[in-house]
Amino acid sequence: MEKSNLKSAELLEQMRIHLASGAGEEVGFVYQFNISPERLGVDEEVFAVDLKKGVVSKGPCEGKPDATFCITDDDFMAITSGKLNPQMAFLTGKMKIKGSSSRVQ
């Protein structure tokens, strides 16, 4: 995957390695993460997580993702470490979701 200065890029790289083994394909959705270093929507880096093909890549999804998450790097790491509840992140505006909320698992 292309070089990134985001802390979350390392976690997404680990996810890419894990998904290469075939894990996650049963989910069958494609997600896009727009991750900003400090403020939502500013200097964001885009990552695609394709749980149909089991692929994580830097850059936008091919076609339309089932859901797009806009979040800061610190909040992404807080959610993935269990320090921030994803529902609270959404309700307080720390995370924005575009797309079908029924496809967010």
Side-chain angles (χ1 to χ4, degrees):
M1 197 163 28
E2 190 179 314
K3 180 80 171 126
S4 171
N5 291 323
L6 297 175
K7 294 175 273 189
S8 51
E10 186 175 327
L11 182 101
L12 288 161
E13 174 61 16
Q14 292 300 313
M15 184 185 295
R16 185 192 67 76
I17 293 167
H18 181 69
L19 291 177
S21 69
E25 291 178 10
E26 64 276 0
V27 175
F29 296 125
V30 178
Y31 300 123
Q32 181 170 301
F33 292 88
N34 299 352
I35 304 174
S36 301
E38 295 180 21
R39 290 188 0 243
L40 283 182
V42 178
D43 298 325
E44 63 189 14
E45 293 185 34
V46 178
F47 297 86
V49 178
D50 186 332
L51 297 175
K52 293 179 182 176
K53 297 177 185 174
V55 176
V56 176
S57 58
K58 189 159 186 218
C61 295
E62 294 177 14
K64 185 178 178 185
D66 293 297
T68 299
F69 300 84
C70 299
I71 191 165
T72 65
D73 194 30
D74 286 340
D75 289 335
F76 181 87
M77 294 304 293
I79 287 172
T80 58
S81 68
K83 294 178 182 173
L84 177 61
N85 179 301
Q87 289 178 327
M88 289 306 299
F90 176 74
L91 292 172
T92 59
K94 290 183 175 191
M95 176 173 61
K96 298 183 187 290
I97 303 172
K98 302 174 193 170
S100 176
S101 60
S102 65
R103 296 185 179 195
V104 176
Q105 297 189 355

